[in-house]
Amino acid sequence: MQDTMSVTVIGLGYVGIVTAACLSSRGILVYCHDINPEKLSAIRNGVSPIYEPGLEDLLRNAVMNGRLRVVEDPAEGISRSSYTIITVGTPSLSDGSADLSQVFSAAETIGKCLRSLNQRHVVVLRSTVPPGTTIGPFMNILESFSGKKCGLDFGLCFNPEFLREGSAVEDTLNPDRIVIGCIDQKSGEELLSLYRALHQEQLPPVIMTTPTSAELIKYANNAFLAMKISFINMISRLCEKLPGGNVDEVAAGIGADKRIGPYFLKAGLGWGGSCFPKDLRALRRIFLEAGLKPHLIDATIEINDGQVEWVCRLLERELSTLSGKRIAILGAAFKEFTDDVRESQAIRLANRLLNSGASISIFDPAATINVSKVLDGKVDIAKSIDECLENADAAVIATPWPVFRSLTPEKLREKMKGKIIIDARRIIDPKLFESSEFRLLILGSYMESRRE
Ligand code: UGA
């Protein structure tokens, strides 16, 4: 028996859990499933398995009013709902390509359920997959396990997501646009009616396209954003060499051109996280497999990798050697307002400095538990900014948490041994340091050569 407007979500990572919570907050009944039992039990108790502003309130309400139900067996949800949304992970394989094993295993599960289902069902793939996956292997698995014909007996769409960690709820409830790659008009209209229920009068622009274009839109979107950041980081290096150079001013100047736009032009230590690095590697492989050269993707990755090296060399120049030096790293998450340290530039910086013989103390306002998982035993994990700065020869701001703006010469003087501060996220007001004994080096601002 099907419930009205009900959805099953398979895979409760960032995208899955936020999608489930947002849909249920608008009165849609959501069954959610994941292979990780700990995650399921947290959600069942209304506890969010991830740190994400606004998510836990939505979850708790949805669980309490019965709009969000955890299912151990995905078939329990699929048989009672009209849509299944797949949001399982597609991590990198060693050659950079996307590992689709979780996607295919979900397709098998859904296919088996479809076999005995008498009602219409729409399968919505939302995991990031290489172009051709939806209408190729994914559809084949669904058809062979269900014994049914896609389009005729069930609907199928690829529907990329564009939510950012740290603002995932807001991005899901108010997206710039919705991209629906549908196998046929009917499937597209069916998915659109789910979005109408979610967004009601505020339905954003909808782009209906083929599944293959929609798959490529997702990769191209992330690659373009990463390219913008690497571009401004390239300009940033030049600004450091030019008296009066300031990359924020350049970014504001070019960003005011509507054709360029002001977003993703914040220079700094570079991009990280669970999406950009993985998706750029995968897109690079897709180009190579198509016999094409991924020039801009290569340059985008190279510049980003170089940012960590850039800061290391700066420190080495200022401290003469890294060996035996104590470096305080402020920030570990791949960006502010998240506890996620996956492929974080701050963590890469810590590892790089450790390899050069430095000792590291690191502090992050939210990511302590995750830092201990990736760096435990190798660094000192501080519980406060003060503890992190204790006896440091140099300090580096590696994640732009607003709390680091409060650093002043007075505060640093009390704790630090050395006088070198590198603001690798451009959040400190240089005026505060103007007449102090500290040497504040801001990535992307002119750096006077070292006073001997
Ligand atoms: C990114 C995309 O922005 C989302 O649209 C997409 O849905 C998501 O990947 C995904 O594929 O799931 P996210 O990784 O959460 O979202 O974070 P972003 O806000 O895009 O930041 C990525 C990295 O770029 C961070 O390390 C951030 O510090 C850095 N960044 C961002 C900059 O260095 N400069 C900027 O101007 C913007």
Side-chain angles (χ1 to χ4, degrees):
M1 170 67 188
Q2 248 173 357
D3 303 297
T4 45
M5 211 37 122
S6 52
V7 176
T8 297
V9 177
I10 298 181
L12 303 174
Y14 249 94
V15 180
I17 191 68
V18 173
T19 304
C22 289
L23 287 170
S24 54
S25 76
R26 297 290 158 92
I28 296 158
L29 179 56
V30 181
Y31 297 95
C32 53
H33 171 78
D34 194 283
I35 48 168
N36 180 340
E38 282 164 27
K39 223 177 240 184
L40 293 186
S41 90
I43 296 168
R44 198 175 278 122
N45 293 320
V47 175
S48 169
I50 52 168
Y51 173 91
E52 188 62 38
L55 179 60
E56 194 148 285
D57 283 350
L58 288 187
L59 265 185
R60 202 179 312 114
N61 282 338
V63 171
M64 262 168 45
N65 66 27
R67 286 275 148 207
L68 193 143
R69 301 178 191 173
V70 168
V71 286
E72 308 280 345
D73 177 5
E76 207 185 308
I78 298 166
S79 60
R80 301 173 132 244
S81 47
S82 15
Y83 304 86
T84 296
I85 301 179
I86 297 142
T87 46
V88 295
T90 53
S92 286
L93 288 169
S94 56
D95 68 354
S97 61
D99 177 357
L100 299 178
S101 55
Q102 294 180 58
V103 169
F104 294 154
S105 144
E108 197 179 311
T109 305
I110 298 163
K112 285 177 188 161
C113 294
L114 290 179
R115 183 172 277 276
S116 53
L117 205 67
N118 297 320
Q119 298 94 344
R120 174 84 179 168
H121 198 85
V122 183
V123 181
V124 183
L125 181 54
R126 208 158 157 68
S127 309
T128 301
V129 295
T133 304
T134 305
I135 58 163
F138 186 75
M139 189 175 83
N140 293 342
I141 297 172
L142 287 174
E143 288 188 332
S144 67
F145 280 87
S146 64
K148 293 185 172 173
K149 187 90 195 105
C150 182
L152 194 67
D153 302 317
F154 63 91
L156 175 60
C157 296
F158 178 78
N159 174 222
E161 54 77 24
F162 302 102
L163 60 86
R164 290 161 299 174
E165 289 185 24
S167 55
V169 170
E170 168 64 20
D171 289 349
T172 303
L173 294 176
N174 299 298
D176 289 351
R177 76 318 200 174
I178 293 165
V179 175
I180 297 179
C182 43
I183 196 89
D184 56 12
Q185 186 75 15
K186 187 175 177 197
S187 305
E189 292 296 335
E190 284 167 329
L191 180 53
L192 188 54
S193 66
L194 180 64
Y195 277 113
R196 284 212 174 89
L198 174 64
H199 298 294
Q200 293 154 18
E201 294 82 46
Q202 264 97 44
L203 185 74
V206 175
I207 296 161
M208 286 271 193
T209 179
T210 63
T212 303
S213 292
E215 289 161 336
L216 190 51
I217 286 169
K218 170 67 196 187
Y219 278 115
N221 206 85
N222 273 355
F224 196 89
L225 292 172
M227 185 181 71
K228 271 186 100 173
I229 302 168
S230 283
F231 177 83
I232 204 67
N233 282 336
M234 179 186 78
I235 299 292
S236 163
R237 294 183 194 175
L238 182 59
C239 289
E240 292 167 19
K241 304 217 177 285
L242 307 173
N246 179 317
V247 72
D248 284 342
E249 290 173 5
V250 179
I254 63 171
D257 185 325
K258 287 198 188 68
R259 293 167 301 174
I260 296 174
Y263 306 107
F264 280 67
L265 288 177
K266 185 73 189 166
L269 194 54
W271 42 267
S274 63
C275 306
F276 283 180
K278 156 182 96 72
D279 288 353
L280 266 81
R281 285 193 293 266
L283 185 58
R284 186 175 180 279
R285 280 266 21 122
I286 293 163
F287 266 82
L288 293 175
E289 275 158 25
L292 300 168
K293 245 185 137 178
H295 307 268
L296 283 174
I297 300 166
D298 282 343
T300 300
I301 294 171
E302 191 192 320
I303 292 170
N304 200 56
D305 290 348
Q307 287 305 94
V308 167
E309 202 51 40
W310 192 255
V311 169
C312 285
R313 273 195 245 127
L314 207 54
L315 279 169
E316 204 157 23
R317 198 184 72 199
E318 294 295 324
L319 298 169
S320 306
T321 174
L322 288 170
S323 179
K325 299 292 183 190
R326 176 85 170 161
I327 315 286
I329 299 183
L330 295 166
F334 82 100
K335 65 176 187 182
E336 70 278 35
F337 305 117
T338 174
D339 65 349
D340 195 341
V341 299
R342 284 176 289 175
E343 303 218 29
S344 166
Q345 293 285 83
I347 302 291
R348 292 180 63 203
L349 177 67
N351 279 319
R352 170 66 181 77
L353 291 170
L354 284 170
N355 286 341
S356 297
S359 79
I360 304 292
S361 61
I362 190 163
F363 169 71
D364 190 283
T368 307
I369 294 171
N370 289 333
V371 178
S372 65
K373 287 183 195 156
V374 293
L375 289 177
D376 206 17
K378 297 203 281 181
V379 301
D380 294 313
I381 302 171
K383 291 187 196 67
S384 65
I385 298 178
D386 280 357
E387 191 184 323
C388 186
L389 294 171
E390 195 85 50
N391 279 327
D393 293 292
V396 182
I397 298 173
T399 306
W401 282 101
V403 67
F404 299 147
R405 287 181 205 276
S406 66
L407 289 175
T408 55
E410 295 70 43
K411 193 170 173 132
L412 295 165
R413 197 172 292 132
E414 268 177 41
K415 299 287 166 195
M416 283 181 68
K417 188 162 71 184
K419 304 287 171 229
I420 309 297
I421 314 296
I422 297 187
D423 181 1
R425 291 293 179 180
R426 300 185 59 79
I427 60 169
I428 299 266
D429 178 359
K431 287 199 192 78
L432 292 174
F433 284 77
E434 248 162 25
S435 51
S436 80
E437 73 278 28
F438 283 93
R439 181 150 157 81
L440 172 67
L441 299 169
I442 304 177
L443 246 55
S445 287
Y446 175 60
M447 292 181 192
E448 269 180 66
S449 32
R450 195 178 160 200
R451 290 164 295 198
E452 295 303 335

